[in-house]
Amino acid sequence: MVWIGTSWKMNKTIGESREYARLLSEALAETPLPDAVQPFILPAHTSLAAVRDQLAGAPVLLGAQNAHWAAEGAGTGEVSMRMAADAGAQLVEMGHSERREQFGETDETVARKARAAVDHGLLPLICVGEPGAVRAAGDAERFVTAQVRAALSLLHPDEISQTLIAYEPVWAIGLAGTPATPEQVAPVMGRIAEEARRLGAGAGCRAVLYGGGVNAANAAALLRETPADGLFVGRAAWRVDGLLQLLAIGRQYIEAVPVVSSRTS
Ligand code: PGA
């Protein structure tokens, strides 16, 4: 299974979101993807319900970019897991570096959000990643492992298989980022998968995704040359043709992976 998805971040009106979803469902109806390619999109909260209605049965998972851990209450400006699920979210992102930097999200709030997401039947999409200075100091694996351990700390080992973990090195994200090479990120991703297996009593997390500066030129190598189970994309998928191109790369990757026969001879 390969996961290919995008967060639209703080972009798109309801009308623009609906148009993207319409074009995406039409393209997927015309050229269906194999079941082993799982698309997902994370609109702004304001567009969630409209995108859910527009997708109407298309095989695309829908997610929220953030939600509060409490079910309801005095949380001015926030949306709860319950409300995100009600608007159509099936997964919920947490711990993105923009939220850690600009909105005070911490390992502790990420852990509470992961707990609340599972309690509300949502898949947590947990973002981790080291700042450039941490990598320069040779400390990326230790830093990211600590983030993973903290994020999963309120889950039962059996629940860890419901989580998606996105490795997003802070230095590789966005306009100011420097695209990462597979060699730079593969060891950290292997470490994340190993830590999730250790905490999840052997089962591990649902998927480890890579995000940060992904585009049509580097996507195939990031899938082939790292342990990534998928890609989490910003800018390169904000137009629907960008996402469709990345889905095609995901499909080629899946079709090239040798099928392991279950027959014994
Ligand atoms: P980008 O964003 O693909 O635009 O670098 C990635 C992310 O923040 O998830």
Side-chain angles (χ1 to χ4, degrees), residues 9 93 96 98 168 172-174 211-214 232-236 238:
K9 304 193 180 180
E93 180 180 4
H96 190 277
E98 287 153 18
E168 303 218 346
I173 295 174
V214 174
F232 188 23
V233 189
R235 290 157 297 155
W238 286 348

Side-chain angles (χ1 to χ4, degrees), residues 1-240:
M1 165 80 87
V2 65
W3 299 68
I4 307 279
T6 177
S7 163
W8 295 345
K9 304 193 180 180
M10 194 172 66
N11 293 289
K12 300 192 192 302
T13 61
I14 296 172
E16 290 160 356
S17 303
R18 202 180 269 134
E19 180 61 4
Y20 185 119
R22 185 182 72 77
L23 294 169
L24 179 61
S25 348
E26 273 177 19
L28 296 182
E30 204 171 300
T31 314
L33 285 169
D35 291 345
V37 179
Q38 178 61 68
F40 62 97
I41 53 179
L42 276 58
H45 288 139
T46 45
S47 293
L48 264 176
V51 171
R52 171 197 55 199
D53 295 347
Q54 186 69 54
L55 285 174
V60 178
L61 280 178
L62 190 59
Q65 297 172 24
N66 174 46
H68 197 279
W69 54 86
E72 59 194 359
T76 300
E78 287 286 329
V79 162
S80 72
M81 299 289 167
R82 181 166 167 260
M83 292 151 71
D86 180 53
Q90 296 154 292
L91 51 90
V92 60
E93 180 180 4
M94 55 198 68
H96 190 277
S97 64
E98 287 153 18
R99 293 206 56 85
R100 291 183 194 255
E101 278 166 17
Q102 299 174 40
F103 304 103
E105 193 144 328
T106 62
D107 284 346
E108 193 205 331
T109 59
V110 171
R112 295 175 80 176
K113 289 177 180 191
R115 175 71 263 156
V118 170
D119 287 342
H120 287 85
L122 294 162
L123 291 177
L125 169 48
I126 299 163
C127 300
V128 294
E130 80 287 356
V134 172
R135 173 155 293 251
D139 215 14
E141 285 187 38
R142 191 204 54 80
F143 184 93
V144 169
T145 306
Q147 284 183 323
V148 168
R149 216 175 280 147
L152 301 178
S153 62
L154 300 180
L155 299 181
H156 188 271
D158 293 348
E159 293 169 329
I160 287 174
S161 61
Q162 298 172 47
T163 61
L164 303 163
I165 303 180
Y167 172 48
E168 303 218 346
V170 179
W171 47 271
I173 295 174
L175 269 184
T178 312
T181 63
E183 303 74 54
Q184 283 174 307
V185 300
V188 187
M189 301 194 68
R191 187 68 201 91
I192 292 170
E194 186 183 301
E195 189 62 15
R197 268 196 305 275
R198 191 181 72 77
L199 295 168
C205 57
R206 177 82 51 101
V208 180
L209 313 181
Y210 173 75
V214 174
N215 57 44
N218 62 18
L222 285 163
L223 287 174
R224 267 198 323 261
E225 298 165 27
T226 75
D229 303 305
L231 301 171
F232 188 23
V233 189
R235 290 157 297 155
W238 286 348
R239 286 170 47 109
V240 72

